[in-house]
Amino acid sequence: MDHTSTILLISGSPADFQVATDSLSTLPGYRTLVATTGDAASELLETVEVDLVLCDFATSERFDALRVLEHLRGSHPYVIRIPVFGGQDAQTIGSVVAHTAAYQYLTRPVLADQAYLLVKRALETRELARRHRLISRELKIDEDSALFNARQRETVRPQSFRFEKLVYVSEKMSELCNAARQAAKTSLPVLIQGETGTGKELLARAIHFNSERSASPLMVQNCGGMPDDLLGSELFGHKRGAFTGAIGDRLGLFRASDGGTVFLDEISEISPSFQVSLLRFLQEGEVKALGSDRIEHCDVRIIAASNKDLAELVEQRAFRQDLYFRLKGFQFEVPPLRERKEDVPVLADFFLQKHCGQMSRRLLGISKDLLDRLAGYSFPGNVRELENEIRRMVACAQDGEYLTVRHLSPELARLPVAPAGEHGDQVIVPQGATLPELVKSLEVQLVGKALQKHRWNQSRAARDLGISRVGLANKIRRYELPGSKS
Ligand SMILES: Nc1ncnc2c1ncn2[C@@H]1O[C@H](COP(=O)(O)OP(=O)(O)OP(=O)(O)O)[C@@H](O)[C@H]1O
Ligand SMILES: [Mg+2]
């Protein structure tokens, strides 16, 4: 289900807009999402591509509508803003419209035809503005380039693909996102694996918001470091007094997101006994709150994520095989950034635009030198690390500049400029004065690289290095390397 336009309604009382949103949904390719608080709205704006926001000023006691729209003007300038008033005087209306640079405003009660026409026209205007911007940007880039030398003229403003907030051009990500779009059409569980910062959560959110469940809640639960009691009560709910500290009844996430999706992050971390409870839920769709003997049914889709390899954990008997099989209705592996270097320029450009918007900076682009340098780096923190780096550089640069290597953080600038190897790996440069120091440095780097490559799967890393697993474990201990990522 691909949407052409997404409308976000922010209101403390969305039911008042039912007629209008129903009529909007009759426009083909349109979807309406609802947020009842400013925080929920910000989260949605970071998760899905929103085109137009209707913001209700009549329920302002539930959230600061003016602040939300003003912030949106800076953070997402191209999202159309339409405030909806209820009883405000002309002066207030005029001032809000001016401050938020609103496209138009509506007044309550919002009539279906009125909303329909306004939204349709607004989106048409936005599309025209977008095309105008593209054309004039091309003209502007030509003009700008004439002022710069040949190297800088190679500044890239690449075309990219999108799956909600996931930006990519690589073949690997295209395949992944296409498969995920297919998976979104079903209600089967999804297991997403990949290193830290690769975009697992972004992918989970994109799947939910492209599924039939997009109008129902997506709830996120991090399973790392949670004792069973607490995790159980979060997910299944509890009756008052079920355990020390259970003061009132609590509806668990599974029931609260009935009809929607629950995203279980760091699934590898759940205890063996909790694995049993979760398996039962996946098999029967039954929820029994802690301390209650009533069985309730609920229909939620599970998306789980892990940066450890569950198959490996199953092999080590640390994770139940039956649960693993249940979870991987679809199984996706988000590749590390160093294995899809083509994505670096488009991501860098995307983060440049994003953070320029957020910090009200006007930068011209990213120089070719900088892109070359970034392409040679292995990004152990993946996309998150790239984003942090760009954010830092945007903060340091001056308006009217291109980002260049001189804006790089000291850590990245210090790295030797290494030609990309077969897998885009960095060249290993041993450090030290004596032979033992050099050998140690070489070993640390090679072992670290193998571990990273195999996502801390020690058997595979050992095989790759041509040593035994015990031998590898000894080296990890001797050099005090992280044995696993967490
Ligand atoms: N393809 C992408 N396009 C745009 N932004 C991305 C992409 N991939 C990741 N990001 C950004 O990188 C950051 C990390 O992404 P996310 O939280 O989804 O990673 P993760 O795999 O869940 O990481 P972790 O395992 O550490 O929880 C986020 O800020 C996200 O917006
Ligand atoms: Mg995550």
Side-chain angles (χ1 to χ4, degrees), residues 200-201 263 265 384:
K200 296 184 294 296
E201 179 156 356
F263 175 53
D265 207 357
R384 180 181 295 115

Side-chain angles (χ1 to χ4, degrees), residues 278-296:
L278 190 60
L279 179 65
R280 198 174 320 124
F281 171 70
L282 282 166
Q283 282 167 339
E284 323 288 345
E286 288 175 352
V287 175
K288 208 167 81 174
L290 268 71
S292 154
D293 29 52
R294 259 193 59 186
I295 290 181
E296 314 266 358

Side-chain angles (χ1 to χ4, degrees), residues 46 161-168 173 177 192-205 222 263 265-266 305-307 334 340 343 347 350-351 354 381-385 387-388 391 485:
E46 289 311 316
F161 300 111
R162 287 291 192 97
F163 184 33
E164 298 299 348
K165 292 289 169 182
L166 284 164
V167 177
Y168 58 93
M173 286 299 287
C177 291
I192 304 174
Q193 300 194 113
E195 288 179 14
T196 181
T198 45
K200 296 184 294 296
E201 179 156 356
L202 233 47
L203 181 65
R205 290 176 183 272
N222 193 318
F263 175 53
D265 207 357
E266 297 195 40
S306 165
N307 50 28
V334 189
R340 48 179 167 111
D343 287 339
L347 284 168
F350 170 73
F351 294 135
K354 174 174 164 188
N382 292 294
V383 185
R384 180 181 295 115
E385 187 180 3
E387 174 163 15
N388 290 342
R391 185 195 296 120
K485 231 167 322 160

